[in-house]
Amino acid sequence: MATSEVLCYGEIGIDNIIQADGLPSPENAIFPKSDSYHGGGAAANTAVWLSAMGVKVKLMGNVIGHDPYGQMIRENLGKHPNIDLSLVEQREDVTTPFTRAIVTPDGERSFLIFWYPQAPKIPLTKEMLEGVRYLALDLYGGPERLAAARLAFESGVATAIGDVIWPEHPALPYTSIATNSAPYIRQTFPGVDVRQHARKLQSISNGIVVTTDGPSTVHALDAQGNGFLIQPPKVEVADATGAGDAFRSGLLFGLLQGFDLPHSLRWAVACGSLKVKNLGAATTKPEFKEIESLANSLQVEPEV
């Protein structure tokens, strides 16, 4: 396989998507409407979306097992010729991580997460980064995530990190691109102005900081602190699982093409918006022309 442009590092697992009209509570049972299994994990989702857009990627992170879920992952990812799986390790003594996600009619998810903390993580090395332009990294792990961010930064590889929302987070100075969730920020820092919070983060990272907000306006800051706004299109939401991963993939695709940040944001919003129309984080991908058409229809405005 040709040199990969992006290395996706982090979660690799299975998502069990359970559609239901509501969430269970004491003395209140729910009756699921559907129950399906999909490839999951932020790193794997990002790799699949990038691969579908023609980007060559490497995937690595947690070890998976030689069990039915592990075989399902191998089979699903093996259908994507642009994904280099040579760094994905399977072991007999590992249980493959998985997530049960209850998805309500508004597309929002509630998660039960199994075995990710216990799964061994493969350390990133400088040799693995050879030829790579971007490291796409999730922070849902331990010290190996920080070590990966630091190594990439010191090796001259740009880092795209999801939900690095704490100003004191040790990975923030190594973050070239932060893609953060406004609802997550508001939950963690009640009463905060998310745009001012983004500016605080950007003053530390000196990189790009993007804040998504579900169907509301996306806010972005470039490396010089210039602000941009883009309104996602109205879509019928089936499942928001993996929307951030699709968004980050679209953003990286645009930057890899040499597009500036505003143009790349259009691709990011197009991917995220089209993703939420379908069940599963990366099971159903739109045709490239559909992403391109939607991206070209969107407008980016400067923040004033």
Side-chain angles (χ1 to χ4, degrees):
M1 177 177 284
T3 300
S4 299
E5 295 181 283
V6 180
L7 193 154
C8 299
Y9 187 103
E11 294 180 324
I12 306 168
I14 289 292
D15 287 346
N16 174 206
I17 305 294
I18 303 166
Q19 287 185 292
D21 287 333
L23 298 177
S25 61
E27 306 300 330
N28 181 37
I30 61 166
F31 298 88
K33 297 161 60 179
S34 75
D35 174 41
S36 56
Y37 289 80
H38 308 260
N45 298 337
T46 303
V48 169
W49 273 88
L50 284 168
S51 170
M53 290 187 283
V55 177
K56 295 192 178 300
V57 299
K58 293 179 184 177
L59 175 62
M60 65 179 298
N62 58 264
V63 176
I64 60 175
H66 276 291
D67 51 23
Y69 284 169
Q71 293 307 114
M72 187 185 303
I73 291 169
R74 275 286 183 182
E75 290 174 9
N76 289 342
L77 294 176
K79 299 174 183 176
H80 301 278
N82 287 325
I83 302 180
D84 181 347
L85 298 176
S86 63
L87 300 177
V88 176
E89 186 173 333
Q90 283 183 277
R91 296 182 191 170
E92 294 286 353
D93 61 341
V94 171
T95 301
T96 298
F98 67 96
T99 297
R100 300 203 194 281
I102 301 176
V103 178
T104 45
D106 59 359
E108 288 303 325
R109 306 89 64 229
S110 298
F111 298 117
L112 294 169
I113 298 174
F114 300 83
W115 297 110
Y116 278 107
Q118 294 89 344
K121 317 301 188 292
I122 304 300
L124 182 67
T125 67
K126 190 168 185 177
E127 290 73 24
M128 295 171 181
L129 290 170
E130 185 175 350
V132 169
R133 295 174 59 186
Y134 289 94
L135 172 70
L137 178 69
D138 71 59
L139 292 179
Y140 312 127
E144 77 286 342
R145 289 339 198 246
L146 176 59
R150 181 188 295 115
L151 178 62
F153 186 85
E154 293 174 350
S155 301
V157 175
T159 58
I161 304 180
D163 284 330
V164 53
I165 66 171
W166 298 269
E168 68 276 13
H169 198 292
L172 186 57
Y174 308 122
T175 304
S176 309
I177 305 166
T179 52
N180 296 334
S181 162
Y184 187 34
I185 294 170
R186 295 188 188 104
Q187 180 182 8
T188 307
F189 305 100
V192 73
D193 181 314
V194 294
R195 295 186 184 178
Q196 289 302 316
H197 189 78
R199 290 197 172 276
K200 184 175 184 179
L201 297 173
Q202 198 279 330
S203 70
I204 298 169
S205 70
N206 295 308
I208 294 169
V209 177
V210 183
T211 308
T212 63
D213 199 2
S216 301
T217 303
V218 174
H219 175 255
L221 298 169
D222 67 14
Q224 290 72 46
N226 301 305
F228 302 94
L229 303 172
I230 178 171
Q231 176 61 44
K234 291 183 179 180
V235 296
E236 186 173 341
V237 178
D239 175 20
T241 305
D245 304 327
F247 181 97
R248 183 165 53 252
S249 301
L251 184 65
L252 288 175
F253 174 82
L255 295 172
L256 286 166
Q257 306 314 301
F259 300 156
D260 60 14
L261 178 59
H263 193 169
S264 299
L265 284 170
R266 290 156 56 187
W267 282 83
V269 170
C271 287
S273 298
L274 292 170
K275 190 271 114 197
V276 300
K277 296 169 66 176
N278 299 289
L279 282 183
T283 302
T284 304
K285 280 84 60 191
E287 295 291 334
F288 183 86
K289 288 184 178 180
E290 185 179 4
I291 302 173
E292 183 177 38
S293 176
L294 181 54
N296 289 339
S297 74
L298 301 173
Q299 299 296 321
V300 179
E301 304 291 341
E303 182 184 27
V304 293

